[in-house]
Amino acid sequence: MRKALALLALAPALLAAPALAQSDAEPVPGNVERVDGTVDKAVDAANLTLATREQVRPGAEIHGPDGKSVGTVQSIEGDTAVVIRGGKLYNIPLAEIYHGAVGTTQGLVTKLSNAEIQARTTAAVESP
């Protein structure tokens, strides 16, 4: 148990050490291009506005922060969009759905990751 706690206490320092050691190093071209591509696809908050209920309608597709499809809106229940992807239903709060552009994708966007969407859906199912 003590070893596990000691390892947990050291983990942040171990993770930061390589970054600190490389801070004076020349950028690696492959890494720079990979980061540039990620940034180009990232959600640009300046281009987003909170989506209206009229925009979040059944059949509308929602994209994630990476520009990939999160799913298609099946229905609206209260303040939640019920989204279907791969035969499974997921809940996305309307307050987390925006209208705008992500990279070259126009339309509905959520800043929530797939893991966050799944966690919110699981929590909604488990609550009474």
Side-chain angles (χ1 to χ4, degrees):
M1 179 74 163
R2 282 186 169 167
K3 287 181 182 180
L5 291 175
L7 184 58
L8 287 174
L10 291 174
L14 293 173
L15 292 173
L20 294 173
Q22 293 180 358
S23 63
D24 293 331
E26 291 293 318
V28 178
N31 289 341
V32 171
E33 287 149 6
R34 190 169 42 249
V35 169
D36 283 346
T38 302
V39 170
D40 288 341
K41 293 179 183 176
V43 174
D44 182 1
N47 292 331
L48 298 178
T49 57
L50 194 58
T52 64
R53 283 184 177 269
E54 291 76 30
Q55 291 169 323
V56 184
R57 63 189 179 289
E61 191 167 357
I62 299 178
H63 294 87
D66 57 1
K68 294 180 182 175
S69 176
V70 169
T72 303
V73 177
Q74 182 180 33
S75 63
I76 305 295
E77 294 181 8
D79 289 333
T80 303
V82 178
V83 176
I84 189 165
R85 179 183 68 212
K88 294 184 180 181
L89 297 176
Y90 298 96
N91 297 324
I92 302 177
L94 293 178
E96 296 289 343
I97 301 174
Y98 301 88
H99 187 267
V102 174
T104 59
T105 303
Q106 293 279 339
L108 298 178
V109 177
T110 183
K111 295 180 185 179
L112 297 175
S113 68
N114 284 331
E116 290 173 309
I117 293 169
Q118 290 175 352
R120 287 171 183 262
T121 301
T122 301
V125 168
E126 292 176 352
S127 65

